[in-house]
Amino acid sequence: MKRALLSVSLFALCFFAGQVLLSFGRADDAKAKKDSQKKSKDDDKSKDQKPESIKRSQTTVYAEVNGKISKVDDTILCLNGVLGRRATLEDIIIAEDVKVRMPAEREFDSKGKPKPFKPDPNDPDRKYGGVKGSKNDLREGQRVLVKLGKYKKNLVATIIVVLPEEKK
């Protein structure tokens, strides 16, 4: 008898606690709907603005990808043929202090033979290969290796290495 009474009271307690928790959940859903409506209005305003400038130190390391530049702007980069596939990465933000490396120009000796490339020992970024470049050196159609970082769900290009053109 005591067990039956105890089990019925425990069942009733669980039932009422569940009802209370459901009412809190419904209230949270109503708040979320109001917030999402406000955010959608704010998103329309943010689409018109340029992306904020992001520094490399603000990002976390995410990935390294190969691809061909399909579109380049002062702040945005789009890649085609990522990892040898037809995949595309669009709207990659270029970091304010991005490191760009260009392939080195071939030098020839007096006999016309190419000299081996020797990186500048004072260049702190020589480990990436090539020579120092800038954002203005990036062109559509170039094959690049891009080191990506993440900042608030956005992909950010932190290092861009332009690969030398393949001989046909």
Side-chain angles (χ1 to χ4, degrees):
M1 184 75 172
K2 288 183 181 179
R3 285 185 183 174
L5 184 59
L6 183 62
S7 62
V8 169
S9 62
L10 185 61
F11 176 75
L13 179 65
C14 291
F15 178 74
F16 289 118
Q19 292 297 321
V20 170
L21 290 175
L22 282 176
S23 65
F24 283 129
R26 289 184 190 132
D28 288 341
D29 290 342
K31 288 180 185 177
K33 287 180 183 177
K34 289 180 183 177
D35 291 342
S36 66
Q37 290 174 353
K38 289 179 184 177
K39 287 181 183 178
S40 65
K41 291 177 184 176
D42 294 339
D43 289 342
D44 294 338
K45 293 177 185 176
S46 67
K47 287 180 183 178
D48 297 336
Q49 298 174 353
K50 290 187 176 181
E52 60 187 72
S53 60
I54 300 169
K55 294 188 178 185
R56 288 182 301 120
S57 60
Q58 294 175 312
T59 64
T60 57
V61 176
Y62 181 67
E64 184 174 303
V65 295
N66 281 329
K68 186 181 265 190
I69 297 176
S70 62
K71 178 182 158 189
V72 66
D73 195 358
D74 291 340
T75 57
I76 300 293
L77 175 73
C78 295
L79 294 178
N80 278 341
V82 176
L83 301 173
R85 298 185 183 122
R86 294 184 182 199
T88 61
L89 286 176
E90 296 182 0
D91 298 333
I92 299 172
I93 298 171
I94 299 175
E96 182 180 327
D97 54 349
V98 66
K99 292 184 179 184
V100 178
R101 302 299 290 187
M102 301 297 293
E105 294 290 324
R106 299 289 304 231
E107 293 182 14
F108 298 94
D109 62 5
S110 60
K111 296 181 182 178
K113 295 182 180 180
K115 290 182 181 179
F117 174 70
K118 294 181 182 175
D120 182 15
N122 297 329
D123 186 6
D125 300 324
R126 65 181 175 270
K127 62 185 171 196
Y128 300 121
V131 295
K132 185 175 182 175
S134 68
K135 291 186 216 180
N136 299 332
D137 295 330
L138 300 175
R139 304 278 179 255
E140 291 181 13
Q142 289 177 324
R143 301 262 336 140
V144 292
L145 172 77
V146 181
K147 293 192 180 191
L148 298 173
K150 236 181 174 182
Y151 177 75
K152 293 184 181 178
K153 297 184 180 180
N154 293 325
L155 293 178
V156 180
T158 57
I159 299 171
I160 302 172
V161 179
V162 178
L163 302 174
E165 294 182 16
E166 297 176 3
K167 295 179 182 178
K168 294 180 182 179

